[in-house]
Amino acid sequence: YRVKGFLQDALDPDHRHLVQAVGVRSSVHPLGPWPDDRRETALVIIADRHDVDRSDIESRLDACLLAARPQRG
């Protein structure tokens, strides 16, 4: 599979990060400030649809969002 896109990091929200992955190799690189006010994670995942469980991927990405949210007490 391959993954490529931009990531908004909860620890560095003013800067976008480039995410790339091929198989087990992956990297995340800071790119600098966002070019406009639209700040959002956008990923493209390329894989054989028979080898990928879409709901599992969505659940794992949602878990990342929940982990990044501040805890309310």
Side-chain angles (χ1 to χ4, degrees):
Y1 67 89
R2 294 182 62 119
V3 177
K4 192 164 191 172
F6 297 109
L7 172 74
Q8 182 181 21
D9 184 344
L11 300 176
D12 187 14
D14 293 330
H15 296 88
R16 63 184 175 154
H17 295 76
L18 174 66
V19 176
Q20 300 183 89
V22 178
V24 297
R25 295 176 46 187
S26 63
S27 63
V28 178
H29 300 282
L31 291 179
W34 290 91
D36 54 32
D37 288 339
R38 197 177 106 198
R39 300 172 184 199
E40 61 186 26
T41 295
L43 300 174
V44 174
I45 301 171
I46 301 170
D48 182 339
R49 67 182 178 152
H50 300 291
D51 293 334
V52 174
D53 181 347
R54 182 180 178 145
S55 63
D56 182 51
I57 293 170
E58 290 173 347
S59 294
R60 290 172 186 256
L61 291 171
D62 286 345
C64 292
L65 292 173
L66 291 173
R69 288 187 181 149
Q71 299 295 321
R72 294 183 181 165

